[in-house]
């Protein structure tokens, strides 16, 4: 009878075991009855699509954060716009072959009126005027062929100057992406420095914001480089067409110059 009173019944034993487990292993019990999860608010949607107001990029503010590299890129963009305007105005055919000089110059040359041709050329400074002035003021001991060759060299030198001006577009197209990449690398170094100093306290948002500011310089560099490369191609083609036109004009002038030289020789 004593032994029977010391050992409880099976139902009581099971109840004691569960009671002990409740106090000793509360996670186990709570896992059987999980708490209601906190609801997560999803971004609002509309028939047109998800709400993107909170993820819009303020490009002006991002560029302001670009630092001194962004200032250099801004200078390149101003230089690019200036060069495009200058080349667009400078490569007009009328600047090389003014209409009054083109119409009357050949007639004055054929008639032998070199003084009148020189005066007209001074009124319309251009590549054609430079060629006429060389023909008008040839050296005394110089042959007619040598004088015309010197005039042709003058025209070629002036066209080489136009080619050299196009190198600025190539320089900007190559330098802008490199400056953008430099700004990005500086920004990335600063971003990882923030991680080193603050560790996990800043969180991913701080790192993402710093990287975003760093990448803006590369984007701006590419934006500048693409129109610079396009402008280089466009104005190179335009310069080549002018070179062909210069060769045609020189061939026509050579014929007139030889006729004048023949008449001058026969008169002597």
């Amino acid at each position: 009878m004593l032994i029977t009173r010391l050992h409880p019944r099976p139902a009581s034993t099971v109840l004691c075991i569960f009671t002990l487990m409740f106090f000793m292993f509360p996670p186990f019990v709570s896992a059987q009855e999980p708490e209601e999860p906190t609801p997560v608010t999803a971004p609002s949607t509309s028939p047109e699509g998800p709400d993107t107001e909170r993820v819009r990029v303020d490009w002006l503010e991002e560029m302001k954060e670009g630092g001194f590299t962004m200032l250099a890129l801004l200078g390149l963009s101003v230089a690019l716009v200036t060069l495009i305007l200058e080349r667009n105005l400078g490569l007009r055919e009328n600047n090389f072959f003014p209409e009054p000089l083109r119409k009357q110059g050949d007639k004055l040359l054929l008639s032998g009126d070199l003084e009148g041709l020189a005066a007209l050329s001074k009124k319309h400074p251009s590549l054609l005027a430079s060629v006429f002035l060389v023909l008008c003021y040839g050296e005394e001991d110089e042959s007619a062929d040598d004088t015309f060759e010197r005039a042709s060299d003058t025209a070629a030198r002036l066209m080489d100057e136009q080619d050299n001006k196009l190198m600025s577009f190539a320089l900007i197209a190559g330098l802008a992406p490199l400056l953008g990449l430099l700004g990005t690398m500086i920004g990335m170094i600063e971003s990882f420095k923030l991680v080193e100093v603050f560790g996990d306290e800043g969180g991913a948002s701080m790192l993402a914001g710093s990287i975003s500011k760093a990448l803006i310089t590369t984007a701006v560099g590419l934006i500048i480089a693409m129109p610079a490369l396009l402008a280089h191609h466009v104005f190179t083609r335009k310069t080549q067409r002018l070179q062909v036109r210069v060769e045609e004009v020189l061939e026509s002038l050579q014929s007139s110059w030889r006729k004048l030289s023949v008449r001058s020789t026969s008169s002597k």
Side-chain angles (χ1 to χ4, degrees):
M1 295 295 295
L2 179 62
I3 296 175
T4 304
R5 287 195 297 266
L6 289 177
H7 289 82
R9 296 178 181 180
S12 301
T13 303
V14 172
L15 180 61
C16 291
I17 292 173
F18 274 97
T19 303
L20 290 174
M21 291 180 63
F22 177 82
F23 288 104
M24 293 178 64
F25 305 99
F28 175 80
V29 177
S30 62
Q32 303 300 320
E33 297 179 359
E35 297 180 358
E36 184 177 356
T38 304
V40 179
T41 304
S44 60
T45 58
S46 63
E48 298 178 355
D51 184 9
T52 58
E53 290 292 332
R54 291 178 293 176
V55 295
R56 286 184 179 178
V57 179
D58 190 344
W59 294 105
L60 184 59
E61 290 297 327
E62 291 288 338
M63 286 190 289
K64 288 181 180 179
E65 297 293 337
F68 73 91
T69 308
M70 191 63 68
L71 294 177
L73 290 171
L74 178 62
L76 283 181
S77 63
V78 173
L80 176 61
V81 173
T82 303
L83 285 171
I84 290 175
L85 293 176
E86 189 275 332
R87 287 290 79 197
N88 192 39
L89 296 175
L91 289 178
R92 292 181 176 178
E93 186 172 345
N94 193 52
N95 295 333
F96 293 82
F97 313 104
E99 187 174 356
L101 188 60
R102 188 173 65 249
K103 289 182 177 180
Q104 302 179 20
D106 192 58
K107 296 179 180 179
L108 293 173
L109 184 62
L110 283 173
S111 63
D113 187 4
L114 298 182
E115 292 183 359
L117 180 59
L120 182 63
S121 299
K122 291 177 181 179
K123 291 181 181 179
H124 303 281
S126 58
L127 181 144
L128 184 58
S130 299
V131 172
F132 280 144
L133 288 174
V134 172
L135 296 177
C136 293
Y137 297 108
E139 299 180 1
E140 295 181 357
D141 298 335
E142 191 176 42
S143 64
D145 291 338
D146 291 339
T147 302
F148 190 84
E149 183 177 357
R150 190 158 54 88
S152 299
D153 292 340
T154 300
R157 184 170 61 254
L158 293 175
M159 290 306 300
D160 287 340
E161 292 178 1
Q162 304 300 321
D163 287 333
N164 293 334
K165 292 181 180 179
L166 298 177
M167 295 302 296
S168 300
F169 291 106
L171 177 62
I172 294 175
L175 188 59
L178 293 178
L179 275 174
L181 182 60
L182 174 62
T184 296
M185 297 309 297
I186 293 174
M188 294 292 287
I189 292 172
E190 293 176 353
S191 300
F192 287 110
K193 195 67 177 178
L194 289 175
V195 176
E196 179 183 355
V197 173
F198 295 100
D200 295 335
E201 296 178 2
S205 60
M206 181 181 67
L207 182 61
S210 300
I211 294 175
S212 175
K213 294 174 184 177
L215 292 176
I216 191 65
T217 56
T218 296
V220 173
L222 293 174
I223 290 172
I224 295 174
M226 287 186 286
L229 189 61
L230 178 62
H232 182 269
H233 174 75
V234 170
F235 290 119
T236 298
R237 296 282 296 175
K238 197 169 185 178
T239 303
Q240 290 174 349
R241 288 196 296 269
L242 282 172
Q243 288 176 343
V244 173
R245 177 63 176 151
V246 168
E247 293 175 359
E248 293 174 353
V249 170
L250 287 176
E251 290 177 359
S252 176
L253 289 179
Q254 187 176 20
S255 177
S256 301
W257 180 250
R258 284 179 177 175
K259 292 178 181 178
L260 176 62
S261 301
V262 170
R263 289 202 305 267
S264 300
T265 305
S266 60
S267 63
K268 292 179 180 179

